[in-house]
Amino acid sequence: MKRNITKILLALTIIASACNKKNETITDGDKGQVSIKIAGVSYSDGSGDLQTKASTTKNSSSTSVAQNATVPFNNDLDVKATLTALTSSSTLRASTGNTKMSTTPTVLDNGAKYLIAAYDAAGNYVNNTGVLTYTNTSTDWTMDLSAGTYTFIALAVDPGQTFPTINLNQNLSNITFDVTGADTDLLWKKQSVTVVSGQNNVQNLVLSHVFTEVKATLESTSANVVGNITSMIGGTITPNYQSATFSFASGTYTQGGQSLNRALSFTGTGVTWSSNPALIITEGTTAGKVSFGTVTLNSAQAGVRSGLIELANLSLQKGIKYDLKLRLVPRGALDIPNSNYYWGSANLKAGSPPTAIEAAQYLLGGSHNGGGSQAYCSSVLGTGWQTPAQAEYEQLIAAGKVRGTYNNQTGWFLGTSTLPTTNLDNYMFLPDNKSVIVESGSGNVSTHIPADALGVYWADRTVQGTAKPAVILTATNVYVMPIHQNNAVGIRCMRSK
């Protein structure tokens, strides 16, 4: 009898165990799994452009990610400044969260502190990882959740930085915390995830920097003419607020405290010096300012000289990575890519001799006969400036030419084969100037200005008895041919580097 009772109890135990297992399987089947891993770090998209009142030729396109400006350095030199909001060359998109990926992602540094928290559709707290230390072998964080929509938020700081104190166990919409200073490089990502029963949803999060980064490079465009950079007294950026109150749900912040200067420390040798990347807390300003102390140069031609650099009214938006390039050039010069020469920033004005250049490249300028053209550029722009020679124009034409417009004026861009739509002063633009040229040549018909010419510029700085080379602009081509030097045509100046 006892043996039978024992057998019956054992059978009942087995049946009960099977039922329990069956119930567990049913419960698990109502859930889905979410696996989340930190896939990298990037910066958000933005449209912050350089907007400085110091420039007379600025491109104010609000859709451009970069804009040029010119500010004085001293009596002899200008600074050509370009502020670029860096954008992505990658098509990767980590999520449909509030912050778009912009720069190509980099790996989160080993030793960075991070956490991931989960909230339900109503914003109620579900779970979090606690503060973890990242390594490149870190595994996914995995959760089993009932079917539905959830919000996951990741937050991280760089190695050695203090992780903020956050009360996560409350409704997501109420969570804020304070950060003191932009030295804490705060990284954030929000991800909406739909959990489906019985499925594993894998999410790779690319974190975005919350604060704004600016890195500057100062370049002398010629050791001979401009000079090597021998010393720099550091630069500063404003605004840079003392603190920020951060919204965990939105990834945005409100600046607090006073605005203080953020230091830029430069190192370098020769013609190029670069700064450290500087993080700033900004309200999303269009009144940003970058200032430099004394910059000292030493050139073969001009010896030792120095000057100051100040850029005002900069657009510095939240969470954007900016590249600020500053190039020192002779006053009135364009530093054209693919050219061994500086080119004038505009045509010579009318007059005999002329006394100035036009304020912008698209202005036609005046006409000047070939007999005196060799001295006009130096009389206006100073020692070293000359009327271009044929070979110098031909080198620029060979680097690229494309017909287009600048401020509604037709002409040709030289130094590029692709029509520029922004930063037009990165290339030389010769406007059609047929309306100001004066034909007075005689003799051989081969030295007449061609009938289809829309623009003509001298391409020789010598005095000749009859004909000298000139650049001819037509509707379809740019080329050099001799015309009678008694003709009066345009002049765009140049000088060697």
Side-chain angles (χ1 to χ4, degrees), residues 71-192:
V71 295
F73 177 75
N74 59 16
N75 291 333
D76 305 314
L77 302 174
D78 285 334
V79 176
K80 302 285 187 181
T82 302
L83 185 71
T84 303
L86 299 184
T87 57
S88 177
S89 60
S90 169
T91 59
L92 175 64
R93 287 294 179 269
S95 76
T96 56
N98 291 352
T99 304
K100 299 176 185 177
M101 189 201 72
S102 179
T103 55
T104 302
T106 58
V107 177
L108 185 63
D109 290 335
N110 281 330
K113 301 294 184 182
Y114 76 101
L115 68 75
I116 303 170
Y119 296 83
D120 67 17
N124 298 312
Y125 172 76
V126 176
N127 199 358
N128 81 90
T129 61
V131 179
L132 305 174
T133 299
Y134 181 82
T135 69
N136 55 17
T137 59
S138 292
T139 57
D140 297 353
W141 180 56
T142 300
M143 284 187 65
D144 292 329
L145 295 169
S146 299
T149 300
Y150 295 83
T151 297
F152 290 83
I153 294 182
L155 191 75
V157 298
D158 282 347
Q161 296 180 346
T162 302
F163 199 91
T165 300
I166 313 170
N167 178 12
L168 297 170
N169 191 9
Q170 56 180 316
N171 191 276
L172 179 58
S173 62
N174 297 328
I175 302 176
T176 63
F177 59 89
D178 293 332
V179 179
T180 301
D183 286 326
T184 299
D185 189 4
L186 201 62
L187 311 169
W188 175 91
K189 189 65 186 180
K190 180 179 182 180
Q191 182 82 332
S192 178

Side-chain angles (χ1 to χ4, degrees), residues 227-295:
N228 287 310
I229 303 169
T230 57
S231 67
M232 290 182 63
I233 297 175
T236 60
I237 305 174
T238 56
N240 175 45
Y241 290 92
Q242 292 174 299
S243 64
T245 299
F246 184 77
S247 168
F248 195 58
S250 68
T252 61
Y253 64 84
T254 303
Q255 74 281 357
Q258 293 181 322
S259 175
L260 305 175
N261 288 340
R262 179 68 165 174
L264 284 174
S265 301
F266 282 81
T267 56
T269 57
V271 296
T272 303
W273 288 49
S274 296
S275 80
N276 59 303
L279 288 171
I280 60 173
I281 296 176
T282 173
E283 74 276 35
T285 184
T286 57
K289 182 177 179 181
V290 176
S291 302
F292 296 79
T294 301
V295 179

Side-chain angles (χ1 to χ4, degrees), residues 20 122 198 325 354 407 473:
N20 287 338
K325 291 193 180 297
N407 199 34
L473 311 182

